[in-house]
């Protein structure tokens, strides 16, 4: 089997990359391979499935705002339901939170409104002042204001992936599942047939990928393999520049929870906003189908960089870390039950928390989504296409542009992101 382009990984990044490359280069023969039996089974399936364009770094804002613009078109103009609900993100803030200034700046570019304490007091299930014991032990402080970002909400990643998969199929992209690519082997571009090739002075490339006895040859390989990129690249000596961190989502239900989930008063979308607590970025994501909240956090210090194939949610982590804080602000959580949970990984760019998209040899690497690969998925696919086609500008669906070299390794120029959830 021989192709012009083989995309390894059929998550959101692989699907959007294949779609934009094929759409802009119809004559290019493309296959997408994945070790899973179908598309969208990796971290894309594990996400909290929120979307936002509230990012402090300019390129993260552009990628997310451009992707949301395209997702809105898919749902509202094309008429394909991808579960997009503009139910907002609400950041609950302590006095003096330094993100407020950044968000005020951002409010010139996207829809953000500011809510003061007097309005927050109207929310009967929210306690602005944690009890003295919680305040003392956990260092919790009074909520003083909130920021409601409106070009944000929730999405269904399964339906989103299905959209790109169907579009890829219609354009003639091939899919090969149950293909576990192993050990990328460097070969000389011009073979001399001497033992020990490739020598240091020979140009090198990857010619084939193998899975058991199956081999696939390509001119260009695109690694859309998220946290598994490092292992795939290890033999080649090429650095992926990303580190994995386990991330968990806990589903929580209870008597008062549906009333909170279906609180329509913020955006009129029928559900409450994706709500971020002032402490450590703990979030409550409304899950209307389950009449529950999905609860999560991007914990940092103390969370190691290990990677396992079947990560499990840690119930004591929920009980001792998340629940304690949440119920101090939302007392109804004292009478809730955690009904299920799951875990996956963020592939972190540990420096600036924006994706890495770069070319080396005949490999194009797209990883480091740092916890927001779905909401930036379309923009990442467009960037991969621009790098593949050798263009010095990416045009996003919202019309914003940037130089894709910004997201590379050598020409990188991204300010560190301050809002990671
Ligand atoms: C708990 C949690 C919550 C999250 N919440 C959000 C959120 O609210 N919003 C958001 O935008 N993002 C969120 N994310 C992040 C988001 O899920 C990722 O950024 C995104 O899914 C990355 O997409 P991907 O295509 O790069 O990776 P993946 O979906 O992991 O796809 C990579 C694919 O590569 C395949 N693969 C790997 N190695 C090989 C190999 N050797 N051979 C063949 N195939 C291979 C895998 O099977 C997989 O299908 C969350 C993630 C987690 C874990």
């Amino acid at each position: 089997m021989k192709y012009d382009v083989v995309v390894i990984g059929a998550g959101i990044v692989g699907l959007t990359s294949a779609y934009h490359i094929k759409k802009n280069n119809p004559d290019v023969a493309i296959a997408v391979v994945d070790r899973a039996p179908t598309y969208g089974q990796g971290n894309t399936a594990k996400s909290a499935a929120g979307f936002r364009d509230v990012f402090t770094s300019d390129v993260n804002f552009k990628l997310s705002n451009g992707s949301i613009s395209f997702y809105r078109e898919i749902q509202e103009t094309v008429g394909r339901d991808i579960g997009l609900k503009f139910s907002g993100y609400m950041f609950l803030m302590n006095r003096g939170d330094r993100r407020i200034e950044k968000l005020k700046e951002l409010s010139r570019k996207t829809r953000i409104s500011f809510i003061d304490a007097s309005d927050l007091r109207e929310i009967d299930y929210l306690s602005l002042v944690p009890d003295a014991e919680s305040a003392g032990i956990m260092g919790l402080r009074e909520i003083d204001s909130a920021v409601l970002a409106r070009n944000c909400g929730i999405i269904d990643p399964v339906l989103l992936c299905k959209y790109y998969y169907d579009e890829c199929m219609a354009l003639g992209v091939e899919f090969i599942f149950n293909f576990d690519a192993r050990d990328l082997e460097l070969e000389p571009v011009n073979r001399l047939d001497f033992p020990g090739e490739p020598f240091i002075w020979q140009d090198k490339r990857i010619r084939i990928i193998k899975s058991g006895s199956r081999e696939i040859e390509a001119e260009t390989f695109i690694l859309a393999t998220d946290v598994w990129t490092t292992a795939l690249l290890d033999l080649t000596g090429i650095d992926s520049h990303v580190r994995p961190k386990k991330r968990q989502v806990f589903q929580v239900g209870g008597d008062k929870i549906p009333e909170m989930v279906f609180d329509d008063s913020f955006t009129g979308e029928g559900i409450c906003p994706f709500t971020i607590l002032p402490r450590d970025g703990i979030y409550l994501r409304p899950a209307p189908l389950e009449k529950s909240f999905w609860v999560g956090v991007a914990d940092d210090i103390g969370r190691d960089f290990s990677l396992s194939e079947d990560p499990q949610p840690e119930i004591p982590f929920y009980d001792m870390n998340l629940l304690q804080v949440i119920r101090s602000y939302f007392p109804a959580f004292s009478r809730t039950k955690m009904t299920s949970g799951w875990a996956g990984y963020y592939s972190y760019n540990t420096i600036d928390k924006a994706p890495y998209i770069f070319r080396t040899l005949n490999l194009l690497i797209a990883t480091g989504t740092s916890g927001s690969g779905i909401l930036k998925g379309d923009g990442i696919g467009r960037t991969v296409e621009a790098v593949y086609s050798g263009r010095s500008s990416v045009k996003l669906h919202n019309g914003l542009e940037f130089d894709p070299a910004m997201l590379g390794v050598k020409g990188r120029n991204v300010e560190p992101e301050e809002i990671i959830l």
Side-chain angles (χ1 to χ4, degrees), residues 59 62 357 359 382-396 400-408 411 413:
V59 75
K62 284 179 174 161
I357 301 173
R359 205 185 238 289
R382 286 174 201 256
T383 311
V384 169
E385 190 281 321
V387 174
Y388 172 77
S389 301
R391 278 185 286 104
S392 59
S393 179
V394 188
K395 189 162 187 187
L396 299 163
L400 296 176
E401 295 186 37
F402 68 92
D403 179 353
M406 281 179 72
L407 292 176
N413 181 16

Side-chain angles (χ1 to χ4, degrees), residues 8-14 33-36 41-44 46-50 89 179-181 224-226 228 232 247-249 283 344-346 369 371-375:
I8 310 176
I12 189 66
V13 170
V33 306
D34 202 295
R35 61 185 178 182
Q41 299 297 294
N43 287 312
T44 301
K46 306 288 186 68
S47 89
Y89 265 46
F179 189 100
D180 192 357
T225 37
D226 204 36
W228 300 282
L232 203 52
R247 293 289 170 244
Q248 314 175 59
V249 175
Y283 63 77
Y345 290 94
Y346 284 6
T369 49
S372 46
I374 295 167
L375 65 91

Side-chain angles (χ1 to χ4, degrees), residues 131-205:
D131 61 71
E133 197 186 352
S134 307
I137 296 175
M138 292 183 280
L140 304 183
R141 289 168 51 210
E142 179 176 349
I143 293 171
D144 163 68
S145 64
V147 175
L148 181 61
R150 291 169 182 269
N151 195 33
C152 307
I154 59 171
I155 190 166
D156 185 330
V158 176
L159 296 179
L160 181 66
C161 285
K162 181 157 172 38
Y163 171 80
Y164 283 104
Y165 174 77
D166 289 348
E167 291 298 305
C168 281
M169 292 291 279
L171 291 170
V173 173
E174 288 182 37
F175 283 83
I176 301 163
F177 293 115
N178 301 307
F179 189 100
D180 192 357
R182 294 272 161 192
D183 305 340
L184 300 183
E185 276 175 42
L186 288 173
E187 296 191 22
V189 172
N190 298 311
R191 184 171 284 284
L192 301 171
D193 284 328
F194 286 137
E197 286 184 278
F199 301 113
I200 197 166
W201 36 264
Q202 283 177 305
D203 288 336
K204 300 165 191 67
R205 67 169 180 152

Side-chain angles (χ1 to χ4, degrees), residues 22-307:
K22 186 69 179 170
K23 196 162 168 246
N24 285 282
N25 307 271
D27 297 334
V28 166
I30 308 184
V32 180
V33 306
D34 202 295
R35 61 185 178 182
T38 185
Y39 57 88
Q41 299 297 294
N43 287 312
T44 301
K46 306 288 186 68
S47 89
F51 69 87
R52 62 180 165 118
D53 60 356
V54 180
F55 286 94
T56 57
S57 99
D58 187 55
V59 75
N60 275 338
F61 170 75
K62 284 179 174 161
L63 286 170
S64 56
N65 187 275
S67 301
I68 294 167
S69 161
F70 188 61
Y71 298 163
R72 189 192 271 276
E73 178 167 299
I74 296 173
Q75 177 141 315
E76 294 180 2
T77 310
V78 179
R80 277 281 295 259
D81 181 20
I82 52 169
L84 202 64
K85 271 190 179 295
F86 283 86
S87 42
Y89 265 46
M90 184 165 67
F91 295 83
L92 300 172
M93 300 278 194
N94 296 140
R95 185 180 299 276
D97 191 317
R98 62 193 183 87
R99 291 174 301 176
I100 294 252
E101 287 313 311
K102 296 271 181 187
L103 291 165
K104 280 188 180 152
E105 272 174 45
L106 210 53
S107 68
R108 289 191 216 115
K109 299 197 276 188
T110 188
R111 291 185 299 142
I112 293 181
S113 50
F114 297 85
I115 306 175
D116 61 26
S118 61
D119 287 332
L120 290 175
R121 268 186 219 105
E122 303 288 310
I123 307 172
D124 63 353
Y125 50 80
L126 172 65
S127 167
L128 298 186
V129 186
D131 61 71
E133 197 186 352
S134 307
I137 296 175
M138 292 183 280
L140 304 183
R141 289 168 51 210
E142 179 176 349
I143 293 171
D144 163 68
S145 64
V147 175
L148 181 61
R150 291 169 182 269
N151 195 33
C152 307
I154 59 171
I155 190 166
D156 185 330
V158 176
L159 296 179
L160 181 66
C161 285
K162 181 157 172 38
Y163 171 80
Y164 283 104
Y165 174 77
D166 289 348
E167 291 298 305
C168 281
M169 292 291 279
L171 291 170
V173 173
E174 288 182 37
F175 283 83
I176 301 163
F177 293 115
N178 301 307
F179 189 100
D180 192 357
R182 294 272 161 192
D183 305 340
L184 300 183
E185 276 175 42
L186 288 173
E187 296 191 22
V189 172
N190 298 311
R191 184 171 284 284
L192 301 171
D193 284 328
F194 286 137
E197 286 184 278
F199 301 113
I200 197 166
W201 36 264
Q202 283 177 305
D203 288 336
K204 300 165 191 67
R205 67 169 180 152
I206 304 294
R207 189 177 57 85
I208 53 166
I209 52 168
K210 295 181 193 169
S211 175
S213 58
R214 289 187 293 167
E215 287 188 0
I216 302 181
E217 188 172 344
E219 293 298 323
T220 302
F221 290 97
I222 294 176
L223 270 59
T225 37
D226 204 36
V227 282
W228 300 282
T229 308
T230 311
L232 203 52
L233 282 176
D234 267 356
L235 263 191
T236 66
I238 298 166
D239 194 352
S240 69
H241 301 285
V242 294
R243 301 268 264 161
K245 277 221 182 197
K246 181 175 170 181
R247 293 289 170 244
Q248 314 175 59
V249 175
F250 302 92
Q251 183 170 304
V252 180
D255 292 351
K256 181 101 178 150
I257 297 299
E259 187 190 320
M260 294 169 64
V261 168
F262 295 106
D263 183 348
D264 193 37
S265 60
F266 297 93
T267 59
E269 281 282 317
I271 52 171
C272 71
F274 190 115
T275 302
I276 301 98
L277 275 59
R279 186 77 225 215
D280 302 312
I282 296 171
Y283 63 77
L284 309 179
R285 186 266 200 204
L289 289 180
E290 295 89 3
K291 298 187 175 65
S292 302
F293 278 111
W294 293 353
V295 175
V297 69
D299 50 325
D300 186 13
I301 304 292
R303 175 64 58 189
D304 66 30
F305 288 111
S306 61
L307 177 64

